[in-house]
Each structure stands twice: as C-alpha cells, then as structure tokens.
Amino acid sequence: MDWPMGDEAWTNYDLRNFSFQSRTTIALRKLNTHPVLMKDVLLDKNDWEIWFDEALSTSSKEDATCIVLCSRAPPVFDGEDAPVSYLSVSRGTWERLAREFHIHRSIMRTIARRVAFFSSSYEDEGRPAKLKIGFTARMSAYLPGDLALSITYIPSTESTFAVMYGCNEQQMREVEKRARVAGDRLKYPLLLLGIFAELERDRLVAKADQLLDGFTIRSEHLENGLWDPSREMNNEKTQEYLALCLQSRSLVDHIRAVKRQLVKFLAEIDEFGSYYSSHKSEAHFVDAKKARRFKKAGVQMKKRLQDIINEYEDKIDECNMIVGNTTLAMQTVWNQIARHDSDLNTRIAQANTTIALETKRESTQMRSIALLTMVYLPFSSVAAIFSMNLFNWQAQDGESVVSEYIWVFAVFAVGLTLITIFAWYRITYRRARTAEKDPFEQQYKMV
C-alpha cells in the first residue's frame, strides 16, 4: 500500500525522478508591504543565488506569496511535449528551492500519475506554530500543454510558496496576468489552485471547441449539399470521421476525470476553512478578520468552480452529440454501402440465373447431339471401315479378303489414339495444377 508521504527532506532517490537543466524561469512575488506584484526572470544559478538572498530572507518571507514558474523543456520527440518533471533549474538550485519553499515530496507521485489529480496534506508536528498545509495538482499528460502545481502554506508566517511545472510562454503570461488581477486575494492559499483550474479549463474547452468546429464543417456539408457516400466517403474521409469520434470520446473521459478532481477541490475549500478557523484559539497567527477574508474568497472560488463544472457538463454534451451524430453518419454510410452491395448481389444473382438457364439449354442441346452421335457413330464407323480398300469383297479363289496392309491401319489408329489421350491428359493436368497454385499466389500477394 502506498502510504501518504511525510514531510521529510528530499533524498537522492527522490531527486532521480526529475531532470535538471537551467532554462528561463520566472519568479513572482507579492509582499504585504509592496502592493505591486514583482517579477524576476532567472536564467542560471547565479541569478538564483541573488534571488534567494533577496527574496527569501527572513524578513521578506513574512506575509509573502512566492510563485515560481518552471519553463517547459524542448520536446524529446517530435510532436510530443517534454515531461513536466524536466525542471528548468539545476539540481543544486532545486535542492535549495525545495528547502526554502517547503515543497512536499508528494509532488513526485502527483507528477508520476500522468492523469488529472489533486491532493492535500496538513503537517503540524504536534504544534500549531509548525503547521504546514500542502497542496499538489496535476493535469492529464495525454493532452498537450499539461502542468503540475505544488503549494505550501505556512500559517505562522502567512507565507505561500508555489511552484508550477512545465509552463509554456503563453501559460506563464496567463498566470502572471491572473496573479496581478487578483491583488490582495492572492494571499488566499487556494487561489493558485483556482488559477490552475482556469488553465485546465482553457485547455479542455479549446480542445472541445476545436472538435466541435471540425464536426460543424462536416455536418454543414452533409446537411446542405448533395451527398453521395459511394464517391465521397473514401478511406481518408472515413478515417477523419473515425478520428473525430474517438477524440470526442477520449475528451469526455478527460473532462469527467477533471470534474471529479474539482469536486474534491470544492470539498477541500470547506475543509481548509474549517481547519483554519479551528485554530483561532490555539495560535496567534489566526485572527477573525483574516478568517472572514479567507471565507469570502472561498465562497467566491466555489461559485466559480461550480460554473466551470457546469461548463464541463455542456462540453460533455457537445462531445456526446459529436459522437452520436458521427456514429449516425457512419452508420448511414455503411447502410448505403450495404444497400449497394445488396443491389450488386441481386444483379449478380440474376446474371447467374441467366447463365444457368443458358447452360441448361445448351446442356439439353448437347445431350441431344450426344444421343444422335451414339446412334449414328457405330454405323459411321462400320461404314468407314468397310469402305476402305483394305477389304476385297470380290476376291477370287486364292485371294485374301483382308489386305496384307491391314496392320498399317491398326498401327496408325492405335498410335493416334494414344497420342490424343496423352495430349488430353497433359493439358488437363496442367490446368489442374494452375488452379491449385492460383489461390496460394493470390494470398501471398495480399500478404
């Protein structure tokens, strides 16, 4: 059984689950003493060291929100995104980042799942002042543009540390824009999960709209134009409709998986609010004003998440409509093909019937000819034999009725008969061998 991971330090075994290479990384900071969201572009280890010293000093970590956006690695294979575990920092930088940001080791499992996933953990070590609340989230890796997210919230310092893995340039700009618009609401730890849910929504809705546009173009042609399945539904067109149907089914599965995680997220908002409020009497870091602000942000997020869930229901209906109508179109095509085959088989059967009748008529005629031949052949043979000069029917005394050259007739007759039988046998045998080989040769050519 895979037990939940504890909040221990990262080991060499843990680090083997990631690949490290310094690339462009964006760091966003929102301080309580500074109303504007600050942005730093970090390229190498030296930039990180400077940023660590400036941004993560003891005073700077108080009541701060820090977000690190790891850029996406170049594709390993053509047409396929690199895994989100390919980090845009060096190994040494990641070890310090994991230490300073209190990144929970459960992010390894979340990334390794490769499917939509959300989890949370509460680590207090028996003392409220040591409380750490961690969240991890993952988008499905089976669609392009997937991301992963880890968040650690420390109530004692009111600090939130987040790392988003596998961002492309557009996603980086979107996260930065949403973080700036959020303003002071960025202090709500779960807001970054809301931004993550918005990015996932954009990804899935864009895919659903792409499939719907492709289906709409095809359906307009079917509804408004003259459609001949026998000419227009070739192998390429059939493959397009089949791909559209399969992609729609797959997208429905992805959306349903994301919906399940959003339901977990909705429950987590309530659990976080209850857990946070329950520490009012136990620790100094919780005050009523902040609790009310968090509760209000939670209510707003729940409304937005419910809107996203409802929108997902609409997209599922659209995808099911695509699947149903595509299936209907394909079934219509197969019915047209079946009807065409039936008509063709009917015509073939009629032709076979005509041939059979002609064959029967010719067979009757041949039987009549054979019967006449059987009647007249003996008479013809006897007449031919007796009409030859090999017989002298008016022989005188001492003369023979049968000519002494009768053996010439016998030799030629028997020889020609044997030659005829041999020629007939050879021709018949060769045709039989050819007929036996043809099926094997055709099968070999097909393979």
Side-chain angles (χ1 to χ4, degrees):
M1 181 175 182
D2 290 338
W3 296 100
M5 289 185 171
D7 188 23
E8 293 91 6
W10 287 66
T11 64
N12 290 329
Y13 180 80
D14 298 332
L15 296 174
R16 286 206 300 262
N17 293 280
F18 297 90
S19 295
F20 305 96
Q21 182 184 18
S22 294
R23 295 188 304 275
T24 301
T25 306
I26 293 179
L28 305 175
R29 281 187 297 156
K30 180 69 169 60
L31 304 179
N32 188 36
T33 58
H34 199 291
V36 179
L37 183 70
M38 293 178 288
K39 173 183 176 181
D40 296 288
V41 179
L42 310 175
L43 301 177
D44 53 28
K45 186 175 182 180
N46 293 331
D47 292 344
W48 275 102
E49 292 298 331
I50 296 173
W51 188 82
F52 281 133
D53 295 338
E54 177 184 350
L56 299 183
S57 61
T58 304
S59 59
S60 300
K61 291 171 65 174
E62 297 287 340
D63 200 1
T65 300
C66 298
I67 309 170
V68 172
L69 306 178
C70 294
S71 62
R72 195 95 190 194
V76 180
F77 303 102
D78 292 339
E80 183 176 346
D81 290 338
V84 296
S85 58
Y86 285 25
L87 304 181
S88 59
V89 297
S90 64
R91 174 166 175 162
T93 301
W94 174 255
E95 290 178 351
R96 183 172 179 183
L97 185 65
R99 211 168 40 245
E100 298 285 355
F101 273 36
H102 306 277
I103 299 176
H104 201 278
R105 294 166 55 243
S106 60
I107 187 61
M108 292 185 301
R109 286 185 181 175
T110 301
I111 291 177
R113 288 177 182 271
R114 295 180 59 83
V115 295
F117 183 71
F118 168 77
S119 68
S120 62
S121 63
Y122 294 79
E123 305 281 347
D124 58 10
E125 301 179 4
R127 293 178 295 174
K130 293 289 186 178
L131 175 63
K132 298 177 185 177
I133 304 176
F135 306 98
T136 62
R138 175 79 158 94
M139 297 181 186
S140 173
Y142 299 101
L143 290 176
D146 61 309
L147 296 172
L149 173 68
S150 63
I151 301 174
T152 303
Y153 174 62
I154 303 177
S156 61
T157 60
E158 296 298 332
S159 301
T160 302
F161 302 102
V163 179
M164 195 169 290
Y165 308 82
C167 301
N168 56 39
E169 293 182 1
Q170 180 181 355
Q171 290 167 334
M172 286 182 174
R173 290 192 297 268
E174 188 67 21
V175 172
E176 180 183 353
K177 183 184 73 173
R178 292 181 180 274
R180 292 187 185 278
V181 172
D184 290 338
R185 288 174 295 182
L186 195 61
K187 295 179 181 179
Y188 184 54
L190 298 180
L191 182 66
L192 290 172
L193 286 169
I195 294 176
F196 189 82
E198 293 285 356
L199 294 177
E200 176 70 308
R201 172 208 163 270
D202 293 343
R203 189 173 74 130
L204 295 178
V205 169
K207 182 64 176 178
D209 291 342
Q210 178 186 355
L211 293 177
L212 184 61
D213 291 342
F215 173 76
T216 302
I217 294 174
R218 292 172 174 82
S219 61
E220 288 179 353
H221 173 67
L222 297 181
E223 293 176 0
N224 304 325
L226 295 176
W227 184 47
D228 185 1
S230 63
R231 290 190 297 104
E232 299 183 17
M233 290 303 294
N234 52 28
N235 292 336
E236 183 179 354
K237 292 290 185 180
T238 303
Q239 182 66 28
E240 290 179 1
Y241 277 96
L242 181 60
L244 186 64
C245 184
L246 294 178
Q247 290 174 11
S248 299
R249 287 179 181 272
S250 177
L251 185 60
V252 168
D253 294 337
H254 287 308
I255 293 177
R256 286 175 176 166
V258 173
K259 277 184 56 185
R260 290 191 290 268
Q261 302 309 312
L262 288 182
V263 172
K264 289 172 58 179
F265 186 21
L266 287 171
E268 185 62 35
I269 293 176
D270 293 333
E271 182 178 351
F272 175 79
S274 300
Y275 193 92
Y276 192 86
S277 300
S278 65
H279 286 73
K280 284 183 180 181
S281 58
E282 301 179 15
H284 68 280
F285 53 79
V286 177
D287 57 67
K289 183 178 179 180
K290 184 167 292 185
R292 287 195 300 270
R293 188 168 67 244
F294 279 9
K295 183 177 181 181
K296 180 179 179 181
V299 171
Q300 293 175 342
M301 282 191 61
K302 289 177 66 176
K303 290 182 178 179
R304 176 54 186 160
L305 291 174
Q306 191 60 54
D307 290 340
I308 293 176
I309 291 176
N310 294 336
E311 187 176 8
Y312 281 159
E313 289 289 348
D314 295 338
K315 295 305 175 182
I316 289 175
D317 292 340
E318 290 178 0
C319 290
N320 287 333
M321 180 269 294
I322 293 174
V323 173
N325 290 348
T326 303
T327 303
L328 176 61
M330 295 300 296
Q331 188 63 44
T332 303
V333 171
W334 289 117
N335 290 341
Q336 292 283 347
I337 294 174
R339 189 177 69 176
H340 179 269
D341 291 345
S342 177
D343 293 340
L344 180 61
N345 291 333
T346 301
R347 290 196 296 270
I348 292 174
Q350 293 174 350
N352 289 336
T353 301
T354 303
I355 294 173
L357 293 175
E358 291 291 333
T359 303
K360 181 179 180 181
R361 184 174 62 82
E362 292 178 359
S363 176
T364 302
Q365 294 176 355
M366 291 300 295
R367 184 171 58 183
S368 301
I369 295 173
L371 181 62
L372 292 175
T373 302
M374 291 174 60
V375 172
Y376 287 102
L377 183 61
F379 293 96
S380 300
S381 300
V382 171
I385 293 173
F386 282 101
S387 65
M388 293 188 302
N389 294 328
L390 296 176
F391 297 94
N392 185 8
W393 300 109
Q394 298 177 357
Q396 299 298 326
D397 293 339
E399 294 181 351
S400 175
V401 176
V402 180
S403 174
E404 59 180 355
Y405 298 105
I406 190 65
W407 62 270
V408 177
F409 167 76
V411 170
F412 276 96
V414 172
L416 291 174
T417 302
L418 292 177
I419 291 173
T420 303
I421 293 174
F422 178 76
W424 168 83
Y425 173 78
R426 291 292 298 176
I427 294 173
T428 305
Y429 177 75
R430 181 177 298 175
R431 289 179 177 176
R433 288 292 301 274
T434 303
E436 291 177 358
K437 289 181 179 180
D438 282 346
F440 295 102
E441 291 179 357
Q442 294 177 2
Q443 183 178 3
Y444 178 78
K445 292 179 181 178
M446 292 175 62
V447 175

